[in-house]
């Protein structure tokens, strides 16, 4: 009994001690937080060097106001269009007897593996003036010119096709998690499916729609590849042009701060909507289809299949078919194919390093937030999301300034490129880790402490093995996202470094579509590996 009593007293002492995080954990997370804030701090310093008068003159120019209007117009159109499309697809997959629901549940999320710049150059090659469509109809119908695909319409269509899965995943997660009792009760009271949907289902989906739309808005405001290829000037393209002109990089920093402000407003809006719920958790949806559909479609089955097929055709079939067409055409024209393997290895290597580093950095932040909740942990958690709220070009520009002035040894090295990926994608790694850690009972760790093991030993031998699913999922998400990142790679890559993304962008921006086909197919194929892992993980977690 004395041994049991001593063990209980020791357990209580450990619980009292756990109110405050260990010094090592606090120090580690503080260093991580400061490192994440360095780009923002340096942007402020670099911008203020020009003086307040010059800064005010730049920020209040009519061109700056026009860029804000253009950027926000694109954000509103893309987030609204994605919400409508995601709501329709999510309801069909999760709530109806749609044929081949399992297939559509996979097909509709696969556009996540296609970067916006790949989708953009493919649609340009097909639908732009003098593209495939115009050439096909020129001879039989005498059509010598079709409406321009460039500008706002083309950028909006491309970004909707590659970003709607973010909203779709949140909607499907909400539909799967919400009870169907209210819907069934509504139908037993004589309400039809549409009235039940409008009065019962849709109100329950509003938080998920808002969360997914904000994710899409952040994605849109940070996009560089699609808007540059579509020749639609938004902040990211304007910043890149200002930076590469070498005339006045202070202007690029000032524009970056404006973009930071817009992104932070969107981020704070999402945080306010969800309270203390971290933003990255909103898109950790299960990716398998639900069972036991409740709404028979009847004669609407064929229009529903038509909608799903239309999305699959334009978001997957057309891009893959066009890529294969340009690949075959390039091979026939003698295009050199062996040169693409170097960029493929570089992309996979750097993305793997980013995945490992992202998970390694995310672990202490997640442990602090979950095991030691408080003001300090909340502050570190919010700071860790800075990268998610900022476009890659802003982080890259800040690190360029930082590396060239304060850390020249790291400038244009793989270390700085991986650092940018970690800052950008840290919240993506934190989501699965947080979910896994919340499922680990703290008493398991406390039991290890009562046996005399040090906290670090308990974490390494007990906690980490239990976190393995979250570690793998977080690493897969970071790898997938890093493979697609373009502006940070363009600005921070070493001089002798070329990735699949930079190779595709260089070829497509010069309209060398055949040269861009093989690296684009390789990038999609490599990115599909972690995506299928995540889909399989989502299915295995279904009840």
């Amino acid at each position: 009994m004395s041994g049991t009593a001593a063990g209980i007293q020791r357990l209580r002492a450990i619980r009292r001690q756990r109110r405050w995080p260990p010094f090592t954990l606090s120090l580690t997370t503080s260093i991580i937080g400061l490192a994440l804030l360095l780009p923002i701090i340096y942007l402020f310093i670099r911008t203020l060097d020009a003086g307040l008068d010059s800064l005010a003159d730049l920020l209040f120019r009519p061109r700056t106001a026009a860029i804000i209007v253009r950027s926000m117009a694109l954000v509103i159109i893309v987030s609204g269009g994605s919400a409508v499309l995601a709501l329709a697809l999510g309801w069909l997959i999760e709530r109806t007897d749609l044929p081949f629901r399992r297939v559509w549940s996979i097909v509709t999320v696969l556009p996540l593996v296609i970067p916006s710049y790949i989708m953009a150059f493919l649609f340009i090659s097909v639908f732009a003036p003098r593209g495939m469509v115009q050439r096909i109809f020129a001879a039989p119908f005498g059509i010598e010119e079709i409406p321009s695909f460039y500008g706002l319409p083309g950028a909006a269509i491309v970004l909707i096709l590659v970003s709607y899965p973010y909203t779709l995943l949140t909607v499907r997660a909400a539909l799967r998690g919400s009870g169907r009792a209210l819907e069934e009760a509504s139908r037993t009271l004589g309400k039809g499916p549409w009235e039940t949907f409008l009065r019962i289902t849709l109100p329950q989906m509003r938080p998920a729609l808002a969360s997914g739309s904000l994710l899409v808005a952040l994605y849109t405001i940070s996009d560089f590849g699609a808007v540059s290829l579509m020749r639609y000037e938004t902040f990211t393209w304007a910043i890149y042009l200002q930076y590469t002109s070498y005339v006045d990089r202070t202007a690029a920093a000032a524009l970056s701060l404006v973009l930071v402000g817009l992104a932070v407003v969107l981020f704070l809006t999402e945080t306010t909507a969800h309270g203390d719920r971290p933003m990255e958790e909103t898109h950790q949806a299960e990716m398998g289809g639900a069972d036991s559909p409740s709404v028979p479609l009847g004669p609407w089955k064929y229009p529903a299949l038509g909608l799903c097929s239309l999305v699959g055709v334009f978001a997957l079939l057309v891009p893959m078919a066009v890529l294969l067409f340009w690949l075959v055409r390039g091979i026939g024209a003698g295009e050199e194919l062996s040169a693409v393997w170097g960029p493929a290895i570089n992309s996979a290597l750097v993305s793997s390093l980013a995945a490992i580093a992202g998970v390694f950095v995310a672990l202490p932040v997640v442990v602090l937030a979950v095991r030691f909740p408080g003001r300090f942990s909340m502050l570190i958690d919010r700071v860790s999301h800075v990268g998610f709220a900022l476009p890659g070009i802003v982080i890259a520009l800040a690190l360029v300034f930082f590396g060239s002035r304060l850390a020249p040894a790291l400038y244009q090295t793989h270390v700085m490129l991986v650092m940018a990926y970690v800052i950008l994608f840290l919240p993506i790694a934190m989501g699965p880790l947080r979910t896994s850690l919340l499922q680990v009972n703290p008493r398991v760790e406390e039991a290890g402490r009562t046996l005399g093991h040090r906290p670090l030993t308990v974490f390494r031998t007990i906690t980490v093995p239990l976190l393995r699913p979250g570690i793998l999922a977080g690493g897969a998400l970071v790898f997938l996202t890093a493979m697609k990142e373009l502006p940070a790679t363009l600005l921070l890559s070493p001089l002798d470094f070329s990735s699949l993304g930079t190779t595709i962008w260089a070829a497509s921006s010069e309209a060398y579509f055949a040269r861009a086909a093989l690296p684009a197919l390789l990038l999609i194929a490599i990115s599909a590996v972690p995506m299928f892992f995540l889909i399989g993980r989502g299915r295995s977690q279904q009840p």
Side-chain angles (χ1 to χ4, degrees):
M1 292 294 294
S2 59
T4 303
I8 293 174
Q9 291 178 358
R10 187 170 183 178
L11 182 61
R12 290 175 177 173
I14 290 173
R15 289 180 176 176
R16 287 195 296 269
Q17 293 173 2
R18 289 176 69 87
R19 294 177 182 176
W20 298 97
F23 174 77
T24 304
L25 181 62
S26 300
L27 179 63
T28 302
T29 52
S30 298
I31 294 173
I32 293 173
L34 288 175
L36 294 174
L37 286 177
L38 275 178
I40 305 302
I41 295 172
Y42 197 79
L43 272 181
F44 273 103
I45 295 174
R46 185 69 179 84
T47 303
L48 293 177
D49 283 345
L52 294 178
D53 293 338
S54 300
L55 178 61
D57 179 67
L58 173 67
L59 296 181
F60 292 103
R61 289 177 182 174
R63 180 172 177 268
T64 304
I67 294 174
I68 293 177
V69 172
R70 293 165 67 88
S71 299
M72 295 312 297
L74 183 64
V75 167
I76 293 171
I77 294 173
V78 173
S79 57
S82 298
V84 172
L85 184 60
L87 182 61
L89 293 174
W91 184 76
L92 288 173
I93 293 172
E94 299 294 338
R95 282 291 193 267
T96 71
D97 59 349
L98 178 73
F100 313 111
R101 289 187 310 122
R102 292 282 188 181
V103 175
W104 297 123
S105 68
I106 297 174
V107 169
T108 52
V109 300
L110 281 181
L112 278 177
V113 306
I114 304 179
S116 64
Y117 50 90
I118 292 181
M119 187 73 78
F121 96 75
L122 292 175
F123 270 69
I124 288 172
S125 68
V126 175
F127 298 106
R130 299 183 180 180
M132 290 183 180
V133 171
Q134 191 271 330
R135 290 198 298 268
I136 291 173
F137 291 99
F141 299 101
I143 298 177
E144 298 181 358
E145 186 177 357
I146 61 176
S148 176
F149 190 70
Y150 295 101
L152 179 60
I157 292 173
V158 166
L159 288 173
I160 287 174
L161 289 177
V162 298
S163 63
Y164 81 85
Y166 290 108
T167 308
L168 176 61
L169 290 178
T170 62
V171 168
R172 287 180 55 189
L175 285 168
R176 187 179 293 115
S178 62
R180 303 187 182 187
L182 291 176
E183 299 174 17
E184 294 173 355
S186 174
R187 287 194 293 273
T188 58
L189 293 175
K191 306 298 182 181
W194 288 110
E195 189 173 0
T196 300
F197 173 79
L198 292 175
R199 292 192 175 187
I200 305 297
T201 308
L202 186 58
Q204 296 182 74
M205 295 301 101
R206 285 175 183 170
L209 282 172
S211 176
S213 297
L214 285 165
L215 290 173
V216 172
L218 289 172
Y219 181 90
T220 303
I221 203 173
S222 66
D223 179 74
F224 168 74
V227 296
S228 60
L229 290 175
M230 289 295 175
R231 304 174 189 173
Y232 185 74
E233 187 179 26
T234 60
F235 266 107
T236 50
W237 192 22
I239 292 168
Y240 181 79
L241 293 177
Q242 194 71 47
Y243 170 76
T244 54
S245 66
Y246 295 98
V247 176
D248 184 12
R249 291 187 174 180
T250 302
L255 290 174
S256 298
L257 282 180
V258 178
L259 186 54
V260 167
L262 293 177
V264 169
V265 167
L266 294 173
F267 171 70
L268 291 178
T269 303
E270 197 279 342
T271 303
T272 303
H274 287 272
D276 291 336
R277 184 184 181 186
M279 179 169 57
E280 81 279 356
E281 291 182 8
T282 60
H283 62 276
Q284 301 302 320
E286 297 174 358
M287 297 186 186
D291 293 326
S292 64
S294 58
V295 179
L297 288 174
W300 290 97
K301 181 182 301 183
Y302 300 103
L305 282 174
L307 174 63
C308 295
S309 301
L310 195 65
V311 173
V313 166
F314 282 98
L316 281 179
L317 184 59
V318 168
M320 299 306 296
V322 175
L323 280 177
L324 291 173
F325 168 81
W326 283 112
L327 177 62
V328 173
R329 185 170 180 176
I331 293 174
E335 190 71 42
E336 180 64 38
L337 300 181
S338 60
V340 77
W341 300 113
I345 294 174
N346 290 338
S347 294
L349 177 61
V350 175
S351 298
S352 299
L353 292 175
I356 295 171
V359 171
F360 185 79
V361 173
L363 269 174
V365 178
V366 170
V367 170
L368 179 71
V370 174
R371 291 290 187 255
F372 306 97
R375 293 183 179 179
F376 175 71
S377 60
M378 183 181 296
L379 175 62
I380 297 297
D381 184 72
R382 292 293 183 261
V383 170
S384 68
H385 288 74
V386 167
F388 192 88
L390 300 180
I393 194 170
V394 174
I395 299 296
L397 183 61
L399 289 180
V400 166
F401 291 148
F402 173 77
S404 60
R405 299 294 182 88
L406 302 179
L410 298 179
Y411 183 59
Q412 286 191 326
T413 65
H414 295 86
V415 174
M416 183 160 285
L417 183 58
V418 172
M419 186 187 305
Y421 288 161
V422 172
I423 294 174
L424 286 167
F425 310 133
L426 180 62
I428 296 176
M430 289 173 59
L433 284 173
R434 187 190 302 269
T435 302
S436 294
L437 186 58
L438 287 171
Q439 296 173 354
V440 176
N441 194 325
R443 295 183 179 180
V444 176
E445 301 166 314
E446 292 168 354
R449 295 282 303 280
T450 60
L451 295 176
H453 296 296
R454 293 177 176 271
L456 187 61
T457 303
V458 172
F459 180 76
R460 178 175 54 84
T461 59
I462 297 177
T463 309
V464 170
L466 295 175
L467 294 180
R468 189 172 300 166
I471 291 174
L472 293 176
L477 284 169
V478 174
F479 180 90
L480 169 65
T481 315
M483 284 288 297
K484 302 191 298 179
E485 174 58 30
L486 181 61
T489 310
L490 284 172
L491 296 181
L492 297 175
S493 295
L495 294 177
D496 58 344
F497 180 91
S498 61
S499 67
L500 288 175
T502 58
T503 302
I504 296 165
W505 188 83
S508 58
S509 60
E510 299 293 334
Y512 294 136
F513 301 131
R515 187 176 302 174
L518 182 58
L521 283 170
L522 276 176
L523 191 151
I524 293 173
I526 297 174
S527 301
V529 174
M531 174 57 72
F532 279 111
F533 166 77
L534 294 170
I535 291 174
R537 178 174 175 267
R539 282 185 173 180
S540 64
Q541 292 177 348
Q542 289 184 37

